[in-house]
Amino acid sequence: MRQLHCCYIQNAVNHTFRSAGGGLSKNAPPRGYALESSESARIFSAFTSISIIAAIYGNGILPEIQATLAPPVTGKMVKGLLMCYAVIFVTFYSAAVSGYWVFGNKSNSNILKSLLPDDGPALAPTWVLGMGVAFVLPQLFAIGLVYSQVAYEIMESQSADVKQGIFSMCNLIPRIILRTLYVVFCGFMAAMLPFFGDINSVVGAIGFIPLDFALPMVLYNRTFKPMKSSLTYLINISFIIVFTGAGRMGAFSSIRKSILDANQFNLFSSNVVD
């Protein structure tokens, strides 16, 4: 897993250099950084972006939970969370900032599509684009191993024979078949529904904002019961109010964007809607 995560970090760094290289190309498109003309559209876009950022930082939830499986819980959780957020900040933001600097408000959620415009030549050599695709594969393997582990456990709890060894043929073959079918199903659904940006924002608003920023404060107040006049209680209540409002606005703006983009949705389309 460490090697796969290193490949993931390397992939993000490569994306950064590819974006910068595309910006230095003589065929690079003109950059534009103008926002929407309507103030309401800018507000909705801001809350949609907050929802996407929340979904990105929500990537740390599952590794954080896994870090608590063995003692000492507190120290391992804090270290794992800090490391996870540091890696997310470096990898995601390096690619995001360089992509926006190069392509402006016309940047695509898929950097390879930005480097391969529909009109005009490619903005990077073929070997660079091929290397980008090659580095995406280890990233997908890591995602499949880590974030699908819960689904694997549920499936294998029904199919595994606990009396046999973990690598016995009666356990190994069903495990390979079930995991392969699950990955194929996920890939099929991803290819059928290429609405990555809209789905990401909806999941971030409805799932990750409450789960990351509101629910922990509620659980802390209910578990430790700090005095209502204490600073800890007031800060927790402030977080609950602010992020509950942000989650509601993010859900509304994300669903609104999905409705506006609905006319671009096509099953198995090669054009990913941002």
Side-chain angles (χ1 to χ4, degrees), residues 147-205:
Y147 295 99
S148 299
Q149 195 62 41
V150 176
Y152 296 156
E153 291 291 337
I154 294 174
M155 291 186 297
E156 292 167 13
S157 65
Q158 303 297 321
S159 64
D161 185 355
V162 294
K163 297 180 181 180
Q164 302 293 329
I166 188 173
F167 293 111
S168 63
M169 295 304 292
C170 62
N171 284 333
L172 183 61
I173 294 177
R175 185 186 305 126
I176 294 174
I177 294 174
L178 287 173
R179 293 193 179 197
T180 302
L181 291 176
Y182 178 79
V183 172
V184 170
F185 173 76
C186 291
F188 178 82
M189 295 299 295
M192 185 176 71
L193 305 173
F195 321 140
F196 181 74
D198 292 344
I199 291 177
N200 216 13
S201 58
V202 172
V203 171

Side-chain angles (χ1 to χ4, degrees), residues 17 42 111 117 136 158 182 207-208 218 274:
F17 284 114
R42 291 197 296 270
I111 192 171
V136 167
Q158 303 297 321
Y182 178 79
F208 287 114
V218 173
D274 293 327

Side-chain angles (χ1 to χ4, degrees), residues 216-222 224-240:
M217 310 305 171
V218 173
L219 296 177
Y220 183 94
N221 284 349
R222 290 180 64 87
F224 297 101
K225 297 180 174 58
M227 296 179 59
K228 293 186 178 181
S229 58
S230 66
L231 181 61
T232 300
Y233 182 86
L234 295 176
I235 291 176
N236 287 346
I237 290 296
S238 301
F239 268 79
I240 293 170

Side-chain angles (χ1 to χ4, degrees), residues 16 19 56 90-102 107 111:
T16 302
S19 296
I56 291 172
V90 172
T91 55
F92 279 87
Y93 278 88
S94 62
V97 171
S98 62
Y100 186 72
W101 170 71
V102 172
S107 61
I111 192 171

